[in-house]
Amino acid sequence: AHYASGLLAGEEDSAVGCDALTVNTYLGADGIEPFLKAAALTGKGLFALVRTSNPGGDKLQGLKLEDGRTVAEAVADQGADLGCGELGSSGYSLLGAVVGATKPEDAVSLRQRMPQQLFLVPGFGAQGGSADDVRACFKPDGTGALITASRSVIYAYNPADGDWPAAVTQAAVELKQQINDIL
């Protein structure tokens, strides 16, 4: 509760606090609930780790449970249940989900399990995720996903060119166009 209060607190004109943060779902519901309460009180958002883009997460998140779901699907179900009570005017929960761009085969099932969650989608670009890979993270109306691409944008600069703002801008424009093309 103290972590949640400290991280999500802050007055409107204050630099303290943040707008959204990632929570570790693998601690269970009692590890997320204090963050949900604090986020609801402050109008902030959360993203729960569900299916990460890093290869090391595959061994745990892809494990099959006795009921046939994967660990990631069980975590998605938990997140959907926990977040259903905190829906905004857009119809999305304040509890979103981290779903890696490098796991497109899992995104279909996870989107079905979490229709009211915004997906924060790392792994696009330098980590290997493509526009086609992130398509299933979006809802049919083209909403529901925030695609992130850090390295492919910030490292687009070539020192021989000498114009880093133009290189970064161009990489961001290209990222936007790739996503717009699939929507």
Side-chain angles (χ1 to χ4, degrees):
H2 289 291
Y3 283 125
S5 177
L7 292 169
L8 294 169
E11 298 177 23
E12 285 185 30
D13 296 331
S14 171
V16 178
C18 59
D19 292 324
L21 59 89
T22 302
V23 292
N24 187 345
T25 51
Y26 293 93
L27 296 175
D30 59 335
I32 299 172
E33 287 168 345
F35 289 92
L36 282 170
K37 289 177 186 171
L41 287 172
T42 58
K44 306 293 178 87
L46 304 170
F47 289 97
L49 295 173
V50 175
R51 187 64 172 107
T52 60
S53 59
N54 64 307
D58 293 348
K59 283 189 177 182
L60 174 62
Q61 297 163 18
L63 283 175
K64 289 283 187 179
L65 303 174
E66 287 182 14
D67 64 8
R69 296 179 299 170
T70 64
V71 169
E73 289 171 335
V75 169
D77 291 343
Q78 173 185 263
D81 289 343
L82 286 171
C84 70
E86 297 295 340
L87 300 181
S89 60
S90 65
Y92 286 105
S93 172
L94 67 77
L95 179 63
V98 175
V99 177
T102 58
K103 311 301 179 201
E105 63 283 351
D106 295 334
V108 173
S109 166
L110 297 175
R111 174 47 72 203
Q112 290 171 349
R113 292 171 178 280
M114 297 182 293
Q116 295 175 309
Q117 273 61 43
L118 285 173
F119 282 15
L120 177 62
V121 186
F124 188 93
Q127 290 182 1
S130 70
D132 250 2
D133 292 334
V134 301
R135 186 185 308 266
C137 294
F138 290 95
K139 294 175 79 169
D141 67 358
T143 65
L146 303 169
I147 311 302
T148 66
S150 300
R151 285 183 280 166
S152 60
V153 173
I154 63 174
Y155 294 125
Y157 169 62
N158 178 350
D161 295 337
D163 189 4
W164 70 265
V168 170
T169 299
Q170 183 60 36
V173 167
E174 288 172 8
L175 164 67
K176 178 183 174 185
Q177 188 59 52
Q178 289 173 31
I179 299 303
N180 283 343
D181 286 348
I182 64 156
L183 296 178

